[in-house]
């Protein structure tokens, strides 16, 4: 459900950017009564939907070729991050909660369980950040030949 919500929010943000960039152009050409109205092509909109950006432009800087070795490396890093996050979860998080489920409930046990799960939780968050925002988006940017890779700015 959270993944679906995140995808819907991304699509809403992209639709808003597309409308915000194109409606003023269409309105100004109608107001000036010029014969040509610049409407983006479907291919431009589809590229924008898959490009790792939230700001619509008719043209983006593009690389001349796709480096498939780079794409494979980024996807391998995503898989490695997922396996490492699974390992952290199984080794450090699950035993904490398994032990707490066998004991009677007390506040001290709950606080200890939470504090023992903070470090693994932070490690998993860093792995998710690295896997999605760095590896996944760079792999798709490379496959789309998207040259503007300033994701962190």
């Amino acid at each position: 459900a959270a993944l679906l919500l995140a995808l819907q929010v991304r699509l809403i943000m992209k639709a808003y950017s597309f409308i915000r960039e194109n409606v003023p152009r269409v309105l100004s050409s109608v107001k000036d009564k010029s014969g040509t109205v610049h409407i983006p092509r479907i291919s431009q909109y589809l590229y924008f939907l898959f490009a790792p950006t939230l700001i619509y432009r008719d043209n983006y800087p593009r690389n001349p070729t796709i480096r498939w070795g780079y794409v494979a490396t980024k996807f391998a890093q995503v898989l490695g991050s997922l396996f490492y996050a699974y390992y952290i979860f199984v080794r450090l998080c699950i035993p904490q909660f398994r032990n707490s489920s066998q004991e009677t409930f007390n506040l001290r046990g709950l606080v200890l369980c939470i504090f023992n799960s903070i470090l693994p939780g932070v490690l998993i968050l860093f792995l998710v950040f690295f896997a999605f925002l760095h590896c996944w988006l760079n792999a798709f940017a490379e496959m789309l030949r998207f040259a503007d890779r300033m994701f962190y700015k």
Side-chain angles (χ1 to χ4, degrees), residues 14-100:
K14 284 191 175 246
Y16 176 77
S17 177
F18 180 78
I19 290 168
R20 180 153 176 125
E21 290 292 322
N22 288 304
V23 166
R25 264 195 272 172
V26 171
L27 291 178
S28 68
S29 65
V30 168
K31 184 194 247 183
D32 297 341
K33 296 186 185 344
S34 62
T36 59
V37 177
H38 179 72
I39 298 173
R41 295 187 314 263
I42 297 291
S43 62
Q44 291 172 322
Y45 182 68
L46 285 176
Y47 182 83
F48 169 64
L49 284 181
F50 291 101
T53 183
L54 292 175
I55 301 169
Y56 177 79
R57 299 286 180 255
D58 287 335
N59 296 310
Y60 294 98
R62 306 279 302 264
N63 290 332
T65 59
I66 299 172
R67 300 174 294 173
W68 290 107
Y70 181 81
V71 172
T73 301
K74 291 300 172 190
F75 281 134
Q77 288 175 348
V78 169
L79 283 175
S81 297
L82 290 175
F83 282 123
Y84 189 47
Y86 174 76
Y87 177 79
I88 289 171
F89 192 72
V90 167
R91 288 295 195 162
L92 299 175
C93 292
I94 290 177
Q96 292 295 324
F97 292 102
R98 184 174 294 143
N99 292 339
S100 67

Side-chain angles (χ1 to χ4, degrees), residues 117-132:
S117 299
I118 288 175
L119 182 61
V122 169
L123 287 173
I124 289 172
L125 283 175
F126 282 143
L127 283 170
V128 168
F129 169 81
F130 175 74
F132 179 71

